[in-house]
Amino acid sequence: MQHTDVLRQRLPEAAKDLKLNIQAVLRPEALDASVAWTIAYASALFIEAPDEVVEAFCADALEAGATEAHIDDAHAAVALMRMNTVYYRFRHMIGKG
């Protein structure tokens, strides 16, 4: 069982669609498992998910074959996404977006 499966099982029945979507998205056929889990890890970092969620995604990424270099790249991607978020929000605020 993957670390995120434990978290997913804790979601209430009202979140059934979310539970199914998480399962489907993280088991894609088009991406290597380590890539999919590393993307999920980067996404969790970007949205500032609770620590247990971030840690679960990281653990599943590493178990799927991601390396420490992949984890470092996820952190770099998050930094770029955050910079872009601030930049484009600023441009919008000054009327250039």
Side-chain angles (χ1 to χ4, degrees):
M1 178 178 288
Q2 294 171 314
H3 300 274
T4 48
D5 287 338
V6 174
L7 298 176
R8 194 171 48 81
Q9 290 174 353
R10 291 181 10 207
L11 292 171
E13 186 59 29
K16 182 179 180 182
D17 288 342
L18 178 59
K19 291 165 84 169
L20 293 172
N21 287 336
I22 291 171
Q23 184 177 18
V25 166
L26 294 174
R27 290 179 177 78
E29 297 173 7
L31 294 174
D32 178 83
S34 65
V35 172
W37 284 105
T38 304
I39 291 169
Y41 172 63
S43 299
L45 286 172
F46 180 71
I47 65 167
E48 297 178 352
D51 289 344
E52 69 177 327
V53 174
V54 172
E55 291 166 7
F57 280 124
C58 185
D60 286 340
L62 291 169
E63 286 180 10
T67 65
E68 289 299 325
H70 293 126
I71 299 302
D72 289 344
D73 287 346
H75 285 268
V78 169
L80 290 170
M81 289 187 289
R82 288 182 175 157
M83 285 189 295
N84 279 332
T85 299
V86 170
Y87 173 74
Y88 286 108
R89 183 65 186 148
F90 174 75
R91 285 185 57 84
H92 172 76
M93 289 174 58
I94 64 170
K96 291 191 173 192

